Amino acid sequence: SEPRDWRVLGIESSCDDTGAAVLNGQGDVLGEALASQSTIHEEWGGVVPRLAQEGHRKAIDATVEEALRRANVTPEQLSAVAVTVGPGLGLCLEVGVRKALQIAAEHRLPLVRVHHMEAHTLVTRMPAARPSGITESSESEAKVLTPAFPFVTLLVSGGHNMAVLTRGVGQHTILGSTIDDSIGEAFDKTARILGITQVPGGPHLERLAKEGDATIHTLPKPLSKTRDRTLQKNCDFSFSGLKTAVRTLVEKQLPEATVASMTESELRSARANIAASFQSVAVAHLCERTTCAIEWARDLEPS
């Protein structure tokens, strides 16, 4: 059959959200559903694998059924089932894989095993929605997949941080990766240091930073003091030192006695300035190392 007639169910359960979607072979999302676990993990200050697994088990059936309903597709009409097999939390991945295996076995469908980070990379080539007035017969001309191979992707998901050169599907070269925390982890952990209890804390830290002045505090540039010449010149990332510097700054600027004497507005302003300084340095580090990765990629792929 033609790719536009394919109906592929995708299932994702690698961390704390249960996701499902139905797509055709041209990348159109026909229906999708997501079950969030943010309220489950807030009191713990981070994702608890066992609780995340329980959340997936409770949500997986309804999430898949809702995605199929929104796509107006029955399991019998599916062409294949795709599922995230890693990397991720093993307890969580198991739930999605079991569901995918069940549907694939029951309806004798091909099972597509998806690498989590490759999916993040290749989704950049996902075609845009069909503009109004474009007919199916002209779809192939309208949907040109961009960027063309090869290209460089900066991956900054919650648990991963890497710059990747992609030459084709399954053809990837990691140019740089984190030697400690990912930037997502750094944002979440810094959020907790600044008293943000929501999970994930990163988006709330980002909003807080918009209220602050990044020039009030000077935080160290990641890897600026390393004596390792390889780390000085390569494309790897590091955020643990920056996170520790923020903790030290908070302990110095906002000890309990000082916080107790501040108004709510004063405390928020002080935290916003620290958040802004952290974000400014973290993003500058991303940009610097990504620029290095692009230069390396041009050397590897001069054409």
Side-chain angles (χ1 to χ4, degrees):
S1 60
E2 293 293 322
R4 66 167 175 258
D5 297 325
W6 298 355
R7 297 295 181 265
V8 180
L9 170 66
I11 296 174
E12 150 65 22
S13 65
S14 62
C15 192
D16 58 337
D17 286 339
T18 310
V22 179
L23 296 85
N24 64 19
Q26 295 179 317
D28 295 305
V29 178
L30 307 178
E32 59 184 332
L34 181 71
S36 173
Q37 296 184 14
S38 58
T39 57
I40 297 175
H41 303 285
E42 279 184 2
E43 65 176 292
W44 303 99
V47 177
V48 181
R50 179 182 56 80
L51 296 179
Q53 182 189 47
E54 291 176 5
H56 285 301
R57 285 175 173 168
K58 291 177 181 177
I60 189 70
D61 290 341
T63 303
V64 169
E65 289 170 8
E66 181 63 13
L68 290 169
R69 187 193 67 79
R70 292 179 179 179
N72 195 27
V73 170
T74 65
E76 292 78 11
Q77 295 173 311
L78 290 172
S79 308
V81 180
V83 61
T84 306
V85 296
L89 299 175
L91 292 174
C92 300
L93 289 164
E94 179 189 8
V95 178
V97 170
R98 283 183 179 276
K99 182 63 176 178
L101 286 170
Q102 173 203 329
I103 295 173
E106 184 176 346
H107 301 284
R108 302 174 68 88
L109 299 170
L111 184 72
V112 181
R113 295 163 177 80
V114 178
H115 188 284
H116 186 174
M117 302 315 294
E118 182 176 43
H120 278 305
T121 299
L122 293 181
V123 77
T124 59
R125 284 169 54 84
M126 197 168 178
R130 187 194 313 164
S132 58
I134 299 295
T135 63
E136 286 195 356
S137 61
S138 58
E139 266 187 325
S140 58
E141 297 178 11
K143 291 189 175 180
V144 177
L145 296 181
T146 57
F149 296 122
F151 62 87
V152 174
T153 306
L154 172 65
L155 296 176
V156 287
S157 67
H160 299 85
N161 203 138
M162 59 183 71
V164 181
L165 169 62
T166 297
R167 297 180 173 92
V169 177
Q171 300 176 38
H172 310 283
T173 299
I174 298 175
L175 303 173
S177 185
T178 180
I179 63 173
D180 40 61
D181 291 344
S182 70
I183 192 171
E185 290 172 313
F187 264 72
D188 290 343
K189 291 174 181 177
T190 301
R192 291 201 291 275
I193 293 171
L194 291 174
I196 295 171
T197 58
Q198 293 95 330
V199 174
H204 299 277
L205 174 68
E206 203 169 341
R207 285 193 282 272
L208 179 63
K210 290 180 179 179
E211 303 173 21
D213 182 348
T215 66
I216 296 294
H217 304 289
T218 301
L219 291 170
K221 174 183 171 183
L223 298 177
S224 60
K225 296 181 180 180
T226 181
R227 296 182 180 180
D228 187 326
R229 292 188 62 81
T230 301
L231 284 177
Q232 290 174 3
K233 296 180 178 298
N234 69 14
C235 306
D236 287 335
F237 305 89
S238 174
F239 294 97
S240 65
L242 178 58
K243 178 192 64 183
T244 300
V246 171
R247 185 185 299 278
T248 301
L249 179 61
V250 169
E251 291 172 351
K252 180 181 178 181
Q253 297 286 327
L254 299 173
E256 289 186 13
T258 300
V259 170
S261 66
M262 299 174 77
T263 65
E264 185 175 332
S265 175
E266 289 172 336
L267 179 58
R268 184 171 181 84
S269 177
R271 286 173 169 169
N273 290 334
I274 296 173
S277 298
F278 162 79
Q279 180 173 263
S280 176
V281 174
V283 172
H285 180 54
L286 277 182
C287 293
E288 178 187 75
R289 293 295 165 132
T290 302
T291 299
C292 171
I294 292 170
E295 292 172 355
W296 280 24
R298 285 175 172 159
D299 288 339
L300 292 168
E301 294 287 341
S303 59

